[in-house]
């Protein structure tokens, strides 16, 4: 790391003690900024870097709710409003037992640069709760969401902070939260949340956007290296929103997806994953992925625990969660002949895995760039809400595709410009950073 940047990271580690995921995300960005500071030393002045790494505001709150047996439960809610130099804070809400301030800060920090890369007017933020929706009834999820919004509503707004979904938060949860916001404020303020249902202010393609967008980015990255998608064997981790729609787009482009997973284990289906069955299990029945193998007996197998990255493939798409792919998994993928990896999840590859991909010279798309399709389409949802309009599926998907190609090209050109051709990590970090840094400098000491 550049010697001017080392003290910045040391200070982040000191002030945010114990926040390992946040340290990891900050280190990854700072490690790539050396050439930018060398070319433009002004970026290292006026504590600009320190300010970018410090959230504008962090909100932590109690979320009490009552379960189906009448017992009072309590969770912790978070919203980190990280940077609003480019627009209202924008980023999802995650409901998962692992959520803590470190995870929310790492996600919020990444979101700043991701949102900048889209070229759209959105700042960066993230939030969530350590609430575990698994095994909870619809009534319990609704009461939790209502209680969560009873505090959150005072911090958000169409021009202030616009949350969306993430792990454990889909259209159902956004609906419960939007309903509560509307009750409390007595305003039908559609633009306050994105990921809404189509009948109540949502955008076509938002559900599909992160998965589709990741595959658009992947396609462009392969084409830039004169490689094709068709006929490739692909492994996709997860079976949630991002994974399902990544699989859908991959299959429509002629790739063969042979494995997917959830937190219990993974399924392998050499004929190609039956996506209709996965959707039925995950979106309708809200069941475990192991039942896929039960219903495709003889054609598919379920491996409990273990690593999905042991399954040989040409392309890997981690679409579950952070740090799900470590150095050992990276070595296995490389040994098995993988040519490209695109991150659907946020920070799914550990620093060790990233280093191995760099050394092996495989194509590697960081989530900050490749999974930006979700937030980009959220911004398109805000545009439609603001103009009281609703676009067709084809029109919206076309916008998404154009945005993903332009993010790809911005990363590739920036990496090239800074003497690191093919390094999409550097391209994404530098491209996003410059846009935010320029806006912050223009707005005075903020
Ligand atoms: P979902 O909740 O819809 O799905 C998450 C999937 O990952 C599930 O299959 C889940 O399995 C699995 N998973 C979650 N946590 C773990 C874990 N600790 N270990 C193993 N598997 C796990 O979430 P999304 O699909 O929305 O999000 C997936 C990733 O994509 C996250 O990193 C998120 O931040 C990122 N992302 C999402 C966007 C969006 O628009 N939704 C936008 C950009 C990034 P199980 O059901 O067993 O928990």
């Amino acid at each position: 790391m550049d010697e001017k940047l080392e003290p910045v990271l040391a200070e982040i580690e000191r002030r945010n003690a114990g926040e390992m995921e946040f340290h990891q995300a900050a280190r990854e960005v700072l490690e790539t900024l050396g050439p930018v500071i060398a070319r433009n030393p002004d970026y290292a002045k006026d504590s600009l870097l320190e300010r970018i790494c410090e959230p504008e505001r962090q909100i932590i709150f109690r979320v009490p709710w009552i379960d189906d047996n009448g017992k009072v439960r309590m969770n912790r809610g978070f919203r980190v409003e990280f940077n609003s130099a480019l627009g209202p804070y924008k980023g999802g809400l995650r409901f998962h037992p692992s959520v803590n301030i470190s995870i929310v800060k790492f996600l919020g920090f990444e979101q700043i640069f991701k949102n900048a890369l889209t070229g759209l007017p959105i700042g960066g933020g993230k939030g969530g709760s350590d609430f575990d929706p698994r095994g909870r009834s619809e009534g319990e999820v609704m009461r939790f969401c209502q209680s969560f919004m009873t505090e959150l509503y005072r911090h958000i707004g169409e021009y202030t902070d616009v949350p969306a979904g993430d792990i454990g938060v889909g259209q159902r949860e956004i609906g419960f939260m939007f309903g509560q916001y509307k009750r409390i404020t007595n305003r039908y303020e559609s633009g306050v949340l994105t990921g809404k249902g189509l009948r109540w202010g949502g955008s076509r393609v938002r559900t599909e956007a992160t998965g589709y967008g990741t595959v658009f980015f992947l396609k462009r990255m392969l084409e830039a290296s004169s490689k094709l998608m068709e006929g490739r064997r692909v492994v996709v981790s997860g079976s949630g929103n991002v994974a399902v729609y990544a699989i859908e787009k991959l299959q429509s482009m002629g790739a063969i997806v042979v494995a997917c997973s959830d937190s219990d284990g993974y399924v392998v289906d050499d004929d190609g994953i039956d996506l209709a069955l996965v959707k039925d299990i995950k979106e309708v029945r809200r069941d475990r992925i192991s039942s896929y193998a039960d219903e495709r007996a003889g054609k598919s197998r379920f491996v409990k625990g273990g690593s999905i990255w042991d399954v040989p493939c040409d392309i890997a798409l981690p679409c579950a969660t952070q740090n799900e792919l470590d150095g050992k998994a990276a070595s296995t993928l490389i040994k098995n002949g993988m040519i490209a990896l695109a991150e659907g999840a946020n920070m799914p590859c550990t620093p060790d895995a990233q280093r191995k991909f760099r050394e092996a010279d495989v194509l590697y798309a960081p989530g900050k760039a490749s999974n930006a399709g979700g937030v980009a389409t959220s911004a398109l949802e805000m545009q439609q809400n603001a103009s009281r309009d609703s676009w067709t599926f084809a029109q919206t998907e076309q916008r998404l595709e154009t945005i993903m190609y332009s993010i790809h090209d911005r990363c590739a050109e920036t990496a090239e410009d800074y003497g690191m051709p093919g390094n999409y990590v550097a391209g994404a970090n530098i491209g996003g950073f410059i846009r935010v840094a320029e806006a912050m400098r223009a707005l005075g000491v903020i």
Side-chain angles (χ1 to χ4, degrees), residues 65-73 140 143:
W65 55 283
I66 299 175
D67 73 14
D68 286 346
N69 299 317
K71 187 171 173 209
V72 177
R73 304 268 179 174
E140 289 176 322
R143 289 194 293 281

Side-chain angles (χ1 to χ4, degrees), residues 21 35 42 50-51 66 73 87 122 127-128 166 183 220 231 280 309 333 347 402:
E21 293 83 2
D42 282 355
E50 289 83 348
R51 283 184 283 137
I66 299 175
R73 304 268 179 174
I122 39 180
D166 191 77
R183 276 170 90 193
R220 187 82 159 182
D280 186 52
W309 312 117
L333 286 165
M347 207 170 75
T402 307

